Amino acid sequence: MKKLFFTAFLALLVVGAYAQKKTLKSANKALNKKDYATAIDLATQASSNAETEKNPQVYVILGTAHLYQFIADKSVIAEAQSSYDFFQKAIEYGDEKLKNKIMEEVLLNNEQNRLGGGEGLMYLQSMLNIQGNIHFEAGEYDKSFEYFKLSSDIVPDDIVMAFYTGYSAYGGELDNELVIKYYNRVLELNKALPEDQKFENANFAYNGLIDVYFARMEDFDTALKYIKEAKEAYPEE
C-alpha cells in the first residue's frame, strides 16, 4: 500500500513539473508572437511555482515583455521599472553568460528602432534615455529625473547619466538628498578617471552641491567644503 502511494506521489510530481515546463514554453511562444500580455500572465504563473520560480528564463521573459510594453507607451514608467526588476532577478538566478546577454549593447537606427544586439537592460536604457531627453529638453525635470534615475541604476558607473540624473533632480527642485546623491556620484566617478579623460561637466556638479548646501539647506560648513574642493579642482575658474 505504501509503495503504491509513493508511486502515485512521484507521478504527481512528474506531472506537476511537466505542466510548469509547458507553461514556461507557452510563455516563450507568446513572447515570440509579440503577445506580451499573455507572455506576462504565463510567466507570472511560472514564477509562483516551486518547479520554475528560480528558473532565470522566467524572468527574462517577464523583463522582455515589460520592455516592449514600455516601448509601446513610454509614458508608463512603471513598465520600465518592472522590466528592470525582472532582468535583475534573471541575473540573480542565472550565470555570467546570461548576465552578459542581458547587458549586451543594442544597435539602433536613426529612427531609434532596434536593428540588432541586445534585448535586455541596455535596450531598456536606450529607451529610457530617449524619453528622458524629451522631458529634459522641455524643462520637465521632475519627469526626466524618473527616466534618468532608472537609466543610471542600470549602469551606476555611467558618469553622464549620473550627471543628468543629478541635474534633473536639481532643476526640478526635488529632494535635496537626491541632488546630493547623484552629483556626489559624478564627483566620485570623475576622480577615478585619468586626467585626460575627466568629465567636462563635473564643475556643474560642484556648483549644484554648493547651491544646495548654501542656499537650500543653509549648511554653510559643507558648502564651504565643496567650494574649497572646487577651487582645487578648477583653480582657473
Side-chain angles (χ1 to χ4, degrees):
M1 184 68 180
K2 286 183 179 180
K3 186 175 180 180
L4 285 173
F5 176 79
F6 185 66
T7 302
F9 179 70
L10 285 177
L12 285 173
L13 288 178
V14 170
V15 170
Y18 174 77
Q20 289 309 308
K21 287 179 180 179
K22 186 176 180 181
T23 299
L24 185 55
K25 189 175 181 180
S26 297
N28 198 52
K29 282 184 178 179
L31 181 66
N32 292 333
K33 291 179 180 179
K34 300 182 181 181
D35 183 355
Y36 303 123
T38 299
I40 289 170
D41 181 56
L42 292 170
T44 299
Q45 292 178 39
S47 72
S48 302
N49 188 276
E51 293 292 335
T52 48
E53 65 180 351
K54 292 187 177 181
N55 186 326
Q57 189 58 32
V58 171
Y59 305 101
V60 170
I61 292 170
L62 287 166
T64 305
H66 281 288
L67 166 59
Y68 279 103
Q69 290 202 151
F70 170 64
I71 292 171
D73 184 356
K74 296 188 190 71
S75 68
V76 186
I77 189 71
E79 289 286 355
Q81 183 66 59
S82 293
S83 178
Y84 171 81
D85 291 340
F86 285 124
F87 278 133
Q88 289 295 335
K89 204 155 191 177
I91 290 172
E92 177 187 347
Y93 290 137
D95 55 17
E96 194 67 21
K97 183 178 179 181
L98 178 61
K99 179 180 178 181
N100 291 337
K101 184 177 180 181
I102 290 172
M103 296 300 295
E104 182 183 358
E105 292 288 347
V106 64
L107 178 63
L108 304 177
N109 62 17
N110 292 334
E111 287 74 42
Q112 307 302 332
N113 296 317
R114 178 177 172 273
L115 292 177
E119 286 185 282
L121 285 171
M122 301 312 294
Y123 190 17
L124 174 62
Q125 187 188 47
S126 295
M127 296 298 102
L128 286 164
N129 291 347
I130 289 168
Q131 188 64 27
N133 282 331
I134 291 171
H135 292 301
F136 188 86
E137 293 296 328
E140 299 168 345
Y141 298 119
D142 57 332
K143 292 182 180 178
S144 66
F145 173 81
E146 293 183 49
Y147 291 85
F148 291 154
K149 175 187 176 297
L150 189 50
S151 174
S152 187
D153 286 345
I154 292 171
V155 187
D157 60 356
D158 185 333
I159 193 169
V160 175
M161 291 320 305
F163 174 76
Y164 279 105
T165 306
Y167 193 113
S168 295
Y170 177 79
E173 298 185 352
L174 303 181
D175 190 290
N176 291 327
E177 294 302 322
L178 294 173
V179 182
I180 292 167
K181 174 183 177 180
Y182 288 99
Y183 272 166
N184 266 323
R185 183 182 293 180
V186 171
L187 298 183
E188 289 167 8
L189 291 170
N190 193 52
K191 287 175 183 177
L193 293 174
E195 285 301 320
D196 61 343
Q197 296 178 27
K198 293 296 185 185
F199 183 57
E200 60 182 357
N201 289 326
N203 57 328
F204 288 101
Y206 274 117
N207 290 339
L209 286 165
I210 291 166
D211 185 59
V212 164
Y213 279 111
F214 187 87
R216 297 185 185 181
M217 299 175 68
E218 297 186 353
D219 182 347
F220 305 121
D221 290 339
T222 305
L224 183 60
K225 183 195 85 166
Y226 282 105
I227 290 171
K228 289 179 178 177
E229 282 187 20
K231 283 184 175 181
E232 290 176 4
Y234 302 95
E236 298 179 0
E237 295 188 16

